[in-house]
Every structure is written in C-alpha cells, then in structure tokens.
Amino acid sequence: MTGGFACRTETARPAAWGDLLALGKVQYCCPMSDQSAPAPKQQPIVILTTARLVLRTATEQDIPVMRERVLGDPDVMRYVFQGGAMTEQRAEEVMRKHFTFGDSLTGIAILTEKPDDDVIGFAGLFPCKALGADDLEIGFVLARRAWGRGIATEIGEAQLAFGFEQLNCSRLLGLVDPRNGPSIHAIEKLGLRYLKDVAEPRRANRSVFCIENEQWRARAREQRA
C-alpha cells in the first residue's frame, strides 16, 4: 500500500530548530534536490515513534534492505514515483538523492517496526507544488509484509499530528495515484477529502485530497470523546 500527503504552513513564524529539539522531535531531511548526498556514518536519528513504529533517518545499511523489500518490489512500487521496480543502481541513486541521511525537517525517512528496528517501508514530509503553494507532501510506502495490519493508519495519524502540531500547518494534502484504491481508502480514513486531479512532473497524475487544521482538530476531539 502506498500513499502521500502535503502540508501548507501557517503564516505565523514556523517552529524554530531549538524549539523542535526541545520537544524531542528530531528533524526531517532537506527538500528534494538534484544533488546526491553521501550517507554519513553516524547512528540514525529518531524522528517520531508510535506504539509499534519508529520513523528515523536513513543509514548506509538501509540501502540494500530498502531495495530488496520496497524499491525493488514491483507490487509495492506500482504507484510510487514513476511506477515499477528499481534496479540496485537506481534504488541507491534515489535514496542518496531524496532520503534523509541528515538533520533537516523535510525529506523521506526510514519506517521501522519495534522492537527490532525491522525495516517495513518509508515515510516523511517533503516539498510539493501541486497546488502552486509552498506545501509539504506527507507520504508512506509500505513493504508487503506490512500490508493489512493498520500500519498505514498508524503512521498516517502520526504524520498528521506532526504536521499540524509541530510544523504549524494550515492544511494537509494527500497526493495519490487515482488507480490506487487502497491508498485512497487509507487517506479518506484519516479524514482527508478529494479536491481535484493534478498533473505531476516525473510521476503519474495524482488525485489531491485535503484536510484543514481545524477539521483535523475537531476530528481528534471527537475521537477522544
């Protein structure tokens, strides 16, 4: 199952680095660029955790594991990026270019399952211009071993909370391949609603779904009641 989301920040001052670190929330990777970044040798940094999951920065050791379980699996990658399984060389290029091996707030990170740090996919927030604004797309892509266990909902809820509460987003958008029924179901379950279809460069067209900050907070209050 795959999915994607996007976030536009409020006009108020964004959370400072020190504030986020003080809250125990570690940074996401930098926005996607065409420059490859070498993977550092330090231990991965934990970004967020849930009852079952850990979202952390990537390491050198993750590259072959991600290719085997996620990037090289045609079923997993059917609706991701340009679609289709990646070769070993292409998987490494994509990870070094787009995944977070560093310490900034946005980018793609490694999703693992407790207690053994078992790699089950990737998730994170990354820049998106689908609606012509400075949005952050939030997404998750799960290995087949993680399908059908509620993990998409669990990491999706965690990312929505991070975007609204820590990054001061005014809205979150979900970008999904319109043929990808399971992902559409997953983001609708998270409270997002369809807006329109858009043409996306370097990947297939996407359907855009949206939830506003206040809508999310009202939904959270209802769930707690």
Side-chain angles (χ1 to χ4, degrees):
M1 181 183 295
T2 63
F5 305 93
C7 146
R8 183 179 60 187
T9 57
E10 299 276 12
T11 55
R13 179 183 65 85
W17 290 90
D19 295 338
L20 290 168
L21 288 171
L23 288 166
K25 299 297 185 180
V26 186
Q27 302 98 318
Y28 278 71
C29 104
C30 57
M32 288 186 179
S33 70
D34 292 329
Q35 300 298 317
S36 297
K41 296 181 180 179
Q42 72 260 26
Q43 293 296 312
I45 299 172
V46 174
I47 297 167
L48 61 84
T49 66
T50 69
R52 293 183 290 174
L53 309 173
V54 176
L55 187 65
R56 62 165 174 79
T57 56
T59 68
E60 189 77 20
Q61 292 73 30
D62 292 322
I63 294 175
V65 178
M66 284 292 295
R67 197 269 168 179
E68 177 187 354
R69 300 182 183 180
V70 181
L71 301 176
D73 188 321
D75 290 332
V76 173
M77 297 300 293
R78 182 175 302 163
Y79 304 116
V80 183
F81 299 121
Q82 294 178 331
M86 296 183 185
T87 64
E88 291 184 10
Q89 179 180 353
R90 179 57 179 160
E92 181 172 354
E93 290 173 353
V94 167
M95 286 194 67
R96 293 194 186 282
K97 187 176 293 184
H98 300 311
F99 279 60
T100 169
F101 290 88
D103 62 355
S104 43
L105 285 172
T106 57
I108 304 175
I110 302 297
L111 184 64
T112 70
E113 188 170 13
K114 300 175 183 177
D116 301 320
D117 195 35
D118 187 37
V119 174
I120 58 170
F122 61 84
L125 296 87
F126 34 97
C128 173
K129 294 286 188 180
L131 297 183
D134 291 327
D135 293 317
L136 288 175
E137 182 179 350
I138 306 172
F140 49 82
V141 175
L142 304 179
R144 280 187 288 176
R145 66 178 65 194
W147 292 0
R149 297 167 48 203
I151 288 176
T153 299
E154 189 169 330
I155 190 59
E157 292 281 13
Q159 290 184 100
L160 293 178
F162 186 87
F164 284 131
E165 294 182 342
Q166 304 300 331
L167 301 183
N168 301 316
C169 294
S170 61
R171 69 182 181 187
L172 295 172
L173 305 180
L175 274 67
V176 184
D177 189 306
R179 301 167 296 176
N180 191 348
S183 283
I184 291 173
H185 174 74
I187 64 169
E188 288 180 334
K189 187 176 180 180
L190 292 170
L192 286 84
R193 295 295 176 260
Y194 175 78
L195 285 182
K196 66 176 184 177
D197 287 353
V198 297
E200 280 281 280
R202 296 183 294 178
R203 61 179 179 177
N205 290 352
R206 291 292 187 265
S207 295
V208 181
F209 294 74
C210 178
I211 184 171
E212 300 287 341
N213 189 306
E214 286 305 314
Q215 293 174 326
W216 176 80
R217 293 185 184 278
R219 180 172 174 272
R221 287 192 296 267
E222 291 176 1
Q223 290 176 336
R224 291 193 298 266

